Amino acid sequence: MVGYSQGPTIEEQIIKYTKYAAIGLFVIIVLFNTMFTIHAGERGVITTFGKPSERIANEGLNFKVPFAQSVYKYDVKTQVMNFDNKAGTGDNSEYSSLFSFTKDQMEVQVAIVVNYHITPNDVMTIYQTYGVQNYYHVNVLEPIVRESVKAHSAKYNVAELATQRDEFSNVIKTDLLTKFADKKAIIEGVYVVNIEPPTAYKNAINDKMIAEQQALQAQNTLKTKQFEADQVIATAEGAKQSKIKSAEGDAEAIKVVDEQLRKSSEIGRAS
């Protein structure tokens, strides 16, 4: 009787195909870990077991050694640092709390926008010196802005900050140009968009404006009354002068009549 060889069991087939699937998945993972994309306006720092390589990954498709190499991306487009000064609307984040003291010891809140970028050739130095980009932005550059605003606002009193905001903005920009350059960042623009004085100061200004308006109104009222009084006096004086002239006219008429009577009497005696 001819014997037949028994084929693999279902369990054996499951194990075999599971191995194939695992190998295929591993190959896919390796392939995906081999390729990475650097988008427009980005650069990548490649490290091998933590050590930075000399090559900076440029825009487009790039390759790396899977599992051994890592990529840290840096955005080299314009970055915006915005202290928006919205604490009054309930925003209590650190970006709404750029407070500083003026020369006359008034605490003001400054809303400032700083635009900057990093150059592609400096991303390696930035990584080696300061670390990843978010840390660089938050812990290296932002404190420079805070320190500059505090230092320069102390040179102005609160009224000068309100009237010389453009000058204040330019002073800070000049300061940041040098300090950011030292940290491998290029300043594009610095804009002081608002300066919020303390509530007590605003109330005092408001009270002063109200007092000035009331004083002006009182002055205008006094002028009006003075004008009306002058009109009454002028009218009375006119009436007085009119009566005087009328009396003078009557006296002159009487004088003329007397003169006529006197002449008539003289003529009668002469005849």
Side-chain angles (χ1 to χ4, degrees):
M1 187 174 184
V2 179
Y4 294 94
S5 61
Q6 186 176 4
T9 64
I10 294 177
E11 290 80 3
E12 291 173 338
Q13 290 182 348
I14 291 174
I15 293 173
K16 181 177 69 174
Y17 289 122
T18 300
K19 290 180 180 179
Y20 290 158
I23 294 172
L25 181 60
F26 177 77
V27 171
I28 292 173
I29 292 174
V30 169
L31 289 175
F32 271 101
N33 274 275
T34 301
M35 299 179 293
F36 65 94
T37 301
I38 298 296
H39 298 101
E42 292 182 339
R43 295 296 185 273
V45 173
I46 302 173
T47 63
T48 304
F49 296 115
K51 180 181 179 180
S53 65
E54 295 182 359
R55 182 174 69 90
I56 295 176
N58 294 313
E59 299 171 357
L61 183 64
N62 291 265
F63 298 90
K64 64 183 180 67
V65 178
F67 309 113
Q69 292 185 319
S70 300
V71 180
Y72 298 93
K73 295 181 180 181
Y74 285 78
D75 194 335
V76 296
K77 299 188 297 295
T78 298
Q79 304 297 300
V80 179
M81 194 179 297
N82 186 9
F83 295 91
D84 53 22
N85 195 8
K86 293 179 181 176
T89 64
D91 183 356
N92 295 317
S93 70
E94 61 179 320
Y95 297 103
S96 286
S97 58
L98 213 170
F99 290 95
S100 60
F101 282 93
T102 61
K103 184 169 59 177
D104 48 354
Q105 295 302 304
M106 301 287 282
E107 188 179 45
V108 296
Q109 191 175 10
V110 181
I112 186 171
V113 178
V114 178
N115 294 339
Y116 76 94
H117 69 271
I118 57 179
T119 58
N121 292 335
D122 286 329
V123 295
M124 181 65 71
T125 301
I126 291 171
Y127 174 79
Q128 292 175 316
T129 308
Y130 308 110
V132 296
Q133 186 165 18
N134 184 64
Y135 182 91
Y136 172 69
H137 179 96
V138 173
N139 296 295
V140 177
L141 299 182
E142 284 183 4
I144 295 175
V145 176
R146 292 179 183 275
E147 186 276 333
S148 180
V149 170
K150 292 178 185 293
H152 291 290
S153 63
K155 300 176 183 177
Y156 297 81
N157 60 44
V158 67
E160 289 171 341
L161 283 179
T163 58
Q164 301 175 30
R165 192 173 69 187
D166 289 342
E167 177 187 315
F168 177 58
S169 181
N170 288 331
V171 168
I172 294 176
K173 180 178 181 180
T174 301
D175 187 29
L176 294 183
L177 281 169
T178 301
K179 292 181 177 178
F180 268 47
D182 290 341
K183 304 299 181 183
K184 303 300 182 183
I186 309 295
I187 287 288
E188 296 179 4
V190 176
Y191 312 97
V192 176
V193 296
N194 188 39
I195 298 174
E196 188 75 12
T199 302
Y201 178 83
K202 290 192 293 183
N203 291 340
I205 293 296
N206 187 55
D207 292 343
K208 180 181 177 182
M209 292 178 62
I210 292 174
E212 289 176 348
Q213 290 174 353
Q214 290 174 342
L216 181 61
Q217 184 176 3
Q219 187 178 13
N220 290 335
T221 301
L222 181 61
K223 287 181 178 179
T224 300
K225 290 182 178 180
Q226 184 64 45
F227 176 77
E228 292 174 349
D230 291 343
Q231 290 294 102
V232 171
I233 292 173
T235 300
E237 183 66 24
K240 176 183 176 182
Q241 293 297 326
S242 178
K243 288 181 180 180
I244 291 173
K245 289 182 178 181
S246 177
E248 290 175 346
D250 291 343
E252 184 66 26
I254 292 172
K255 183 178 180 182
V256 170
V257 171
D258 287 344
E259 182 66 24
Q260 291 295 328
L261 290 174
R262 186 182 62 78
K263 289 181 178 180
S264 297
S265 175
E266 290 177 351
I267 292 173
R269 284 197 301 269
S271 60

Short mmCIF file of all heavy atoms in Angstrom, two decimals, residues 201-253:
data_model
loop_
_atom_site.label_atom_id
_atom_site.label_comp_id
_atom_site.label_asym_id
_atom_site.label_seq_id
_atom_site.Cartn_x
_atom_site.Cartn_y
_atom_site.Cartn_z
N TYR A 201 -3.15 104.47 37.74
CA TYR A 201 -2.67 105.55 36.87
C TYR A 201 -3.74 105.92 35.84
O TYR A 201 -3.98 107.11 35.60
CB TYR A 201 -1.39 105.12 36.17
CG TYR A 201 -0.83 106.15 35.22
CD1 TYR A 201 -0.04 107.20 35.69
CD2 TYR A 201 -1.09 106.08 33.85
CE1 TYR A 201 0.48 108.15 34.82
CE2 TYR A 201 -0.57 107.02 32.98
CZ TYR A 201 0.21 108.05 33.47
OH TYR A 201 0.71 109.00 32.60
N LYS A 202 -4.36 104.91 35.24
CA LYS A 202 -5.41 105.19 34.26
C LYS A 202 -6.58 105.93 34.91
O LYS A 202 -7.15 106.84 34.31
CB LYS A 202 -5.90 103.87 33.63
CG LYS A 202 -4.88 103.23 32.72
CD LYS A 202 -5.48 102.12 31.89
CE LYS A 202 -5.89 100.95 32.76
NZ LYS A 202 -6.40 99.82 31.94
N ASN A 203 -6.94 105.52 36.14
CA ASN A 203 -8.01 106.21 36.85
C ASN A 203 -7.64 107.66 37.14
O ASN A 203 -8.48 108.56 37.03
CB ASN A 203 -8.35 105.48 38.14
CG ASN A 203 -9.01 104.13 37.89
OD1 ASN A 203 -9.55 103.89 36.82
ND2 ASN A 203 -8.97 103.25 38.88
N ALA A 204 -6.38 107.89 37.53
CA ALA A 204 -5.93 109.25 37.81
C ALA A 204 -5.98 110.10 36.55
O ALA A 204 -6.39 111.27 36.59
CB ALA A 204 -4.51 109.22 38.38
N ILE A 205 -5.55 109.54 35.43
CA ILE A 205 -5.61 110.27 34.16
C ILE A 205 -7.05 110.58 33.79
O ILE A 205 -7.39 111.69 33.36
CB ILE A 205 -4.93 109.45 33.04
CG1 ILE A 205 -3.42 109.33 33.30
CG2 ILE A 205 -5.18 110.09 31.68
CD1 ILE A 205 -2.68 110.64 33.27
N ASN A 206 -7.92 109.59 33.99
CA ASN A 206 -9.33 109.79 33.68
C ASN A 206 -9.93 110.88 34.56
O ASN A 206 -10.68 111.75 34.09
CB ASN A 206 -10.08 108.47 33.86
CG ASN A 206 -11.52 108.56 33.39
OD1 ASN A 206 -11.79 108.92 32.25
ND2 ASN A 206 -12.45 108.23 34.28
N ASP A 207 -9.61 110.84 35.87
CA ASP A 207 -10.11 111.86 36.80
C ASP A 207 -9.59 113.24 36.40
O ASP A 207 -10.32 114.24 36.49
CB ASP A 207 -9.69 111.53 38.22
CG ASP A 207 -10.38 110.27 38.75
OD1 ASP A 207 -11.39 109.87 38.16
OD2 ASP A 207 -9.90 109.71 39.76
N LYS A 208 -8.32 113.31 35.98
CA LYS A 208 -7.75 114.58 35.57
C LYS A 208 -8.47 115.13 34.34
O LYS A 208 -8.77 116.33 34.26
CB LYS A 208 -6.26 114.41 35.27
CG LYS A 208 -5.57 115.69 34.84
CD LYS A 208 -4.09 115.45 34.53
CE LYS A 208 -3.42 116.72 34.04
NZ LYS A 208 -1.99 116.50 33.69
N MET A 209 -8.75 114.24 33.38
CA MET A 209 -9.44 114.67 32.18
C MET A 209 -10.84 115.17 32.51
O MET A 209 -11.30 116.19 31.97
CB MET A 209 -9.51 113.52 31.18
CG MET A 209 -8.16 113.12 30.59
SD MET A 209 -8.28 111.72 29.45
CE MET A 209 -9.33 112.40 28.17
N ILE A 210 -11.53 114.45 33.41
CA ILE A 210 -12.87 114.88 33.81
C ILE A 210 -12.81 116.23 34.50
O ILE A 210 -13.62 117.12 34.24
CB ILE A 210 -13.51 113.82 34.74
CG1 ILE A 210 -13.79 112.53 33.95
CG2 ILE A 210 -14.79 114.35 35.36
CD1 ILE A 210 -14.30 111.39 34.80
N ALA A 211 -11.81 116.41 35.42
CA ALA A 211 -11.66 117.68 36.12
C ALA A 211 -11.37 118.81 35.14
O ALA A 211 -11.91 119.93 35.28
CB ALA A 211 -10.54 117.56 37.15
N GLU A 212 -10.51 118.55 34.14
CA GLU A 212 -10.20 119.58 33.15
C GLU A 212 -11.43 119.94 32.33
O GLU A 212 -11.66 121.11 32.02
CB GLU A 212 -9.07 119.09 32.24
CG GLU A 212 -7.71 119.03 32.93
CD GLU A 212 -6.64 118.44 32.04
OE1 GLU A 212 -6.99 117.87 30.97
OE2 GLU A 212 -5.44 118.54 32.39
N GLN A 213 -12.22 118.92 31.97
CA GLN A 213 -13.44 119.18 31.21
C GLN A 213 -14.44 119.99 32.04
O GLN A 213 -15.09 120.92 31.53
CB GLN A 213 -14.06 117.86 30.77
CG GLN A 213 -13.26 117.13 29.70
CD GLN A 213 -13.81 115.76 29.39
OE1 GLN A 213 -14.72 115.28 30.07
NE2 GLN A 213 -13.26 115.12 28.38
N GLN A 214 -14.54 119.64 33.32
CA GLN A 214 -15.45 120.38 34.20
C GLN A 214 -14.98 121.82 34.38
O GLN A 214 -15.79 122.75 34.39
CB GLN A 214 -15.56 119.67 35.55
CG GLN A 214 -16.30 118.34 35.49
CD GLN A 214 -16.27 117.58 36.80
OE1 GLN A 214 -15.44 117.86 37.68
NE2 GLN A 214 -17.18 116.64 36.95
N ALA A 215 -13.65 122.00 34.53
CA ALA A 215 -13.10 123.35 34.67
C ALA A 215 -13.35 124.17 33.41
O ALA A 215 -13.70 125.35 33.48
CB ALA A 215 -11.61 123.27 34.98
N LEU A 216 -13.17 123.53 32.24
CA LEU A 216 -13.41 124.22 30.98
C LEU A 216 -14.88 124.59 30.84
O LEU A 216 -15.21 125.69 30.39
CB LEU A 216 -12.96 123.33 29.82
CG LEU A 216 -13.13 123.92 28.41
CD1 LEU A 216 -12.30 125.19 28.27
CD2 LEU A 216 -12.72 122.89 27.36
N GLN A 217 -15.74 123.65 31.25
CA GLN A 217 -17.17 123.91 31.17
C GLN A 217 -17.55 125.07 32.11
O GLN A 217 -18.34 125.95 31.73
CB GLN A 217 -17.95 122.66 31.55
CG GLN A 217 -19.46 122.82 31.41
CD GLN A 217 -20.20 121.53 31.70
OE1 GLN A 217 -19.58 120.54 32.07
NE2 GLN A 217 -21.51 121.55 31.57
N ALA A 218 -16.96 125.05 33.33
CA ALA A 218 -17.24 126.14 34.28
C ALA A 218 -16.73 127.47 33.73
O ALA A 218 -17.38 128.51 33.89
CB ALA A 218 -16.59 125.83 35.62
N GLN A 219 -15.56 127.43 33.10
CA GLN A 219 -15.00 128.65 32.51
C GLN A 219 -15.89 129.18 31.39
O GLN A 219 -16.13 130.38 31.29
CB GLN A 219 -13.59 128.36 31.99
CG GLN A 219 -12.85 129.58 31.50
CD GLN A 219 -11.44 129.25 31.03
OE1 GLN A 219 -11.11 128.09 30.85
NE2 GLN A 219 -10.61 130.26 30.84
N ASN A 220 -16.39 128.26 30.56
CA ASN A 220 -17.29 128.67 29.48
C ASN A 220 -18.59 129.23 30.04
O ASN A 220 -19.14 130.21 29.50
CB ASN A 220 -17.57 127.48 28.56
CG ASN A 220 -16.36 127.09 27.75
OD1 ASN A 220 -15.47 127.90 27.50
ND2 ASN A 220 -16.30 125.83 27.32
N THR A 221 -19.08 128.60 31.11
CA THR A 221 -20.31 129.09 31.74
C THR A 221 -20.10 130.49 32.30
O THR A 221 -20.95 131.38 32.16
CB THR A 221 -20.75 128.13 32.86
OG1 THR A 221 -20.98 126.83 32.31
CG2 THR A 221 -22.02 128.62 33.53
N LEU A 222 -18.93 130.69 32.95
CA LEU A 222 -18.61 132.00 33.50
C LEU A 222 -18.50 133.04 32.39
O LEU A 222 -19.00 134.18 32.54
CB LEU A 222 -17.29 131.92 34.27
CG LEU A 222 -16.82 133.22 34.93
CD1 LEU A 222 -17.84 133.71 35.96
CD2 LEU A 222 -15.46 133.02 35.59
N LYS A 223 -17.88 132.67 31.29
CA LYS A 223 -17.76 133.61 30.16
C LYS A 223 -19.14 133.97 29.61
O LYS A 223 -19.40 135.13 29.25
CB LYS A 223 -16.89 132.99 29.07
CG LYS A 223 -15.41 132.94 29.41
CD LYS A 223 -14.62 132.35 28.26
CE LYS A 223 -13.13 132.33 28.56
NZ LYS A 223 -12.33 131.73 27.46
N THR A 224 -20.02 132.94 29.54
CA THR A 224 -21.36 133.18 29.05
C THR A 224 -22.11 134.16 29.95
O THR A 224 -22.77 135.10 29.49
CB THR A 224 -22.13 131.86 28.94
OG1 THR A 224 -21.45 130.98 28.04
CG2 THR A 224 -23.55 132.09 28.43
N LYS A 225 -22.00 133.92 31.27
CA LYS A 225 -22.67 134.80 32.23
C LYS A 225 -22.09 136.21 32.18
O LYS A 225 -22.82 137.20 32.28
CB LYS A 225 -22.56 134.22 33.64
CG LYS A 225 -23.39 132.96 33.85
CD LYS A 225 -23.28 132.45 35.28
CE LYS A 225 -24.16 131.22 35.48
NZ LYS A 225 -24.09 130.70 36.87
N GLN A 226 -20.76 136.28 32.04
CA GLN A 226 -20.11 137.58 31.94
C GLN A 226 -20.58 138.33 30.68
O GLN A 226 -20.84 139.53 30.72
CB GLN A 226 -18.60 137.41 31.91
CG GLN A 226 -17.81 138.72 31.89
CD GLN A 226 -18.01 139.53 33.16
OE1 GLN A 226 -17.96 138.98 34.26
NE2 GLN A 226 -18.25 140.83 33.02
N PHE A 227 -20.72 137.57 29.59
CA PHE A 227 -21.21 138.17 28.35
C PHE A 227 -22.63 138.68 28.51
O PHE A 227 -22.96 139.79 28.08
CB PHE A 227 -21.14 137.15 27.22
CG PHE A 227 -21.70 137.63 25.91
CD1 PHE A 227 -20.98 138.51 25.11
CD2 PHE A 227 -22.97 137.24 25.50
CE1 PHE A 227 -21.50 138.96 23.91
CE2 PHE A 227 -23.48 137.69 24.30
CZ PHE A 227 -22.75 138.56 23.50
N GLU A 228 -23.47 137.85 29.17
CA GLU A 228 -24.85 138.27 29.39
C GLU A 228 -24.91 139.50 30.29
O GLU A 228 -25.72 140.41 30.05
CB GLU A 228 -25.64 137.11 30.01
CG GLU A 228 -25.83 135.94 29.04
CD GLU A 228 -26.48 134.74 29.73
OE1 GLU A 228 -26.58 134.75 30.98
OE2 GLU A 228 -26.87 133.80 29.01
N ALA A 229 -24.06 139.50 31.34
CA ALA A 229 -24.02 140.67 32.23
C ALA A 229 -23.57 141.91 31.47
O ALA A 229 -24.13 143.01 31.66
CB ALA A 229 -23.10 140.39 33.41
N ASP A 230 -22.56 141.74 30.63
CA ASP A 230 -22.09 142.87 29.82
C ASP A 230 -23.18 143.39 28.89
O ASP A 230 -23.30 144.61 28.67
CB ASP A 230 -20.86 142.46 29.01
CG ASP A 230 -19.63 142.22 29.88
OD1 ASP A 230 -19.63 142.67 31.04
OD2 ASP A 230 -18.68 141.56 29.40
N GLN A 231 -23.99 142.45 28.37
CA GLN A 231 -25.08 142.86 27.51
C GLN A 231 -26.12 143.67 28.27
O GLN A 231 -26.64 144.67 27.76
CB GLN A 231 -25.74 141.62 26.89
CG GLN A 231 -24.88 140.90 25.86
CD GLN A 231 -24.66 141.76 24.62
OE1 GLN A 231 -23.59 142.35 24.45
NE2 GLN A 231 -25.66 141.84 23.77
N VAL A 232 -26.41 143.20 29.50
CA VAL A 232 -27.38 143.93 30.33
C VAL A 232 -26.86 145.32 30.65
O VAL A 232 -27.59 146.33 30.55
CB VAL A 232 -27.66 143.15 31.64
CG1 VAL A 232 -28.49 144.00 32.62
CG2 VAL A 232 -28.39 141.85 31.33
N ILE A 233 -25.56 145.39 31.02
CA ILE A 233 -24.96 146.68 31.32
C ILE A 233 -24.97 147.58 30.10
O ILE A 233 -25.28 148.78 30.18
CB ILE A 233 -23.52 146.48 31.84
CG1 ILE A 233 -23.55 145.80 33.21
CG2 ILE A 233 -22.79 147.82 31.93
CD1 ILE A 233 -22.17 145.41 33.72
N ALA A 234 -24.63 146.98 28.95
CA ALA A 234 -24.61 147.77 27.72
C ALA A 234 -26.00 148.29 27.38
O ALA A 234 -26.17 149.44 26.96
CB ALA A 234 -24.06 146.92 26.58
N THR A 235 -27.00 147.43 27.60
CA THR A 235 -28.38 147.85 27.32
C THR A 235 -28.79 148.98 28.26
O THR A 235 -29.40 149.98 27.83
CB THR A 235 -29.33 146.65 27.49
OG1 THR A 235 -28.95 145.62 26.59
CG2 THR A 235 -30.77 147.06 27.20
N ALA A 236 -28.45 148.80 29.57
CA ALA A 236 -28.79 149.84 30.54
C ALA A 236 -28.06 151.15 30.22
O ALA A 236 -28.63 152.25 30.32
CB ALA A 236 -28.43 149.36 31.95
N GLU A 237 -26.81 151.02 29.85
CA GLU A 237 -26.03 152.22 29.51
C GLU A 237 -26.61 152.90 28.28
O GLU A 237 -26.66 154.14 28.19
CB GLU A 237 -24.57 151.81 29.26
CG GLU A 237 -23.64 152.97 28.97
CD GLU A 237 -23.47 153.89 30.17
OE1 GLU A 237 -23.68 153.45 31.31
OE2 GLU A 237 -23.13 155.07 29.94
N GLY A 238 -27.05 152.08 27.32
CA GLY A 238 -27.67 152.65 26.13
C GLY A 238 -28.95 153.39 26.46
O GLY A 238 -29.20 154.50 25.94
N ALA A 239 -29.76 152.78 27.34
CA ALA A 239 -31.00 153.45 27.76
C ALA A 239 -30.69 154.74 28.49
O ALA A 239 -31.36 155.77 28.31
CB ALA A 239 -31.82 152.51 28.64
N LYS A 240 -29.66 154.69 29.36
CA LYS A 240 -29.26 155.88 30.12
C LYS A 240 -28.82 156.99 29.16
O LYS A 240 -29.25 158.15 29.30
CB LYS A 240 -28.12 155.51 31.06
CG LYS A 240 -27.57 156.70 31.83
CD LYS A 240 -26.39 156.26 32.70
CE LYS A 240 -25.76 157.46 33.39
NZ LYS A 240 -24.59 157.06 34.21
N GLN A 241 -27.98 156.64 28.22
CA GLN A 241 -27.50 157.63 27.26
C GLN A 241 -28.65 158.18 26.43
O GLN A 241 -28.69 159.39 26.09
CB GLN A 241 -26.42 157.01 26.35
CG GLN A 241 -25.13 156.65 27.07
CD GLN A 241 -24.44 157.88 27.65
OE1 GLN A 241 -24.50 158.99 27.07
NE2 GLN A 241 -23.81 157.70 28.81
N SER A 242 -29.59 157.29 26.12
CA SER A 242 -30.75 157.73 25.34
C SER A 242 -31.57 158.76 26.13
O SER A 242 -32.02 159.77 25.58
CB SER A 242 -31.61 156.52 24.99
OG SER A 242 -32.77 156.92 24.28
N LYS A 243 -31.76 158.47 27.42
CA LYS A 243 -32.52 159.41 28.26
C LYS A 243 -31.78 160.73 28.41
O LYS A 243 -32.38 161.81 28.40
CB LYS A 243 -32.76 158.79 29.63
CG LYS A 243 -33.78 157.66 29.61
CD LYS A 243 -34.00 157.09 31.01
CE LYS A 243 -35.03 155.95 30.97
NZ LYS A 243 -35.25 155.38 32.33
N ILE A 244 -30.46 160.63 28.57
CA ILE A 244 -29.66 161.85 28.70
C ILE A 244 -29.79 162.70 27.44
O ILE A 244 -30.00 163.92 27.50
CB ILE A 244 -28.19 161.51 28.98
CG1 ILE A 244 -28.04 160.92 30.38
CG2 ILE A 244 -27.30 162.74 28.81
CD1 ILE A 244 -26.65 160.41 30.69
N LYS A 245 -29.65 162.03 26.31
CA LYS A 245 -29.77 162.77 25.05
C LYS A 245 -31.17 163.36 24.88
O LYS A 245 -31.34 164.46 24.36
CB LYS A 245 -29.43 161.85 23.88
CG LYS A 245 -27.93 161.51 23.82
CD LYS A 245 -27.62 160.64 22.61
CE LYS A 245 -26.12 160.35 22.56
NZ LYS A 245 -25.78 159.51 21.39
N SER A 246 -32.15 162.56 25.32
CA SER A 246 -33.53 163.06 25.21
C SER A 246 -33.71 164.29 26.11
O SER A 246 -34.33 165.29 25.71
CB SER A 246 -34.50 161.96 25.61
OG SER A 246 -35.83 162.43 25.60
N ALA A 247 -33.16 164.19 27.33
CA ALA A 247 -33.26 165.33 28.26
C ALA A 247 -32.52 166.53 27.72
O ALA A 247 -32.99 167.69 27.83
CB ALA A 247 -32.72 164.92 29.63
N GLU A 248 -31.35 166.27 27.16
CA GLU A 248 -30.58 167.36 26.58
C GLU A 248 -31.34 168.02 25.42
O GLU A 248 -31.33 169.25 25.24
CB GLU A 248 -29.22 166.86 26.11
CG GLU A 248 -28.28 166.49 27.25
CD GLU A 248 -26.98 165.89 26.76
OE1 GLU A 248 -26.92 165.53 25.55
OE2 GLU A 248 -26.02 165.75 27.56
N GLY A 249 -32.01 167.18 24.66
CA GLY A 249 -32.80 167.73 23.55
C GLY A 249 -33.96 168.58 24.05
O GLY A 249 -34.26 169.65 23.49
N ASP A 250 -34.61 168.10 25.10
CA ASP A 250 -35.72 168.86 25.67
C ASP A 250 -35.23 170.20 26.22
O ASP A 250 -35.87 171.26 26.05
CB ASP A 250 -36.40 168.06 26.80
CG ASP A 250 -37.14 166.84 26.25
OD1 ASP A 250 -37.40 166.80 25.03
OD2 ASP A 250 -37.43 165.91 27.06
N ALA A 251 -34.09 170.16 26.89
CA ALA A 251 -33.54 171.40 27.45
C ALA A 251 -33.18 172.37 26.34
O ALA A 251 -33.41 173.60 26.46
CB ALA A 251 -32.30 171.06 28.28
N GLU A 252 -32.62 171.85 25.28
CA GLU A 252 -32.26 172.70 24.16
C GLU A 252 -33.51 173.32 23.52
O GLU A 252 -33.51 174.50 23.14
CB GLU A 252 -31.47 171.89 23.12
CG GLU A 252 -30.97 172.69 21.95
CD GLU A 252 -29.91 173.71 22.39
OE1 GLU A 252 -29.24 173.49 23.43
OE2 GLU A 252 -29.75 174.72 21.69
N ALA A 253 -34.57 172.52 23.46
CA ALA A 253 -35.83 173.03 22.88
C ALA A 253 -36.41 174.14 23.75
O ALA A 253 -36.89 175.17 23.26
CB ALA A 253 -36.82 171.88 22.73
#
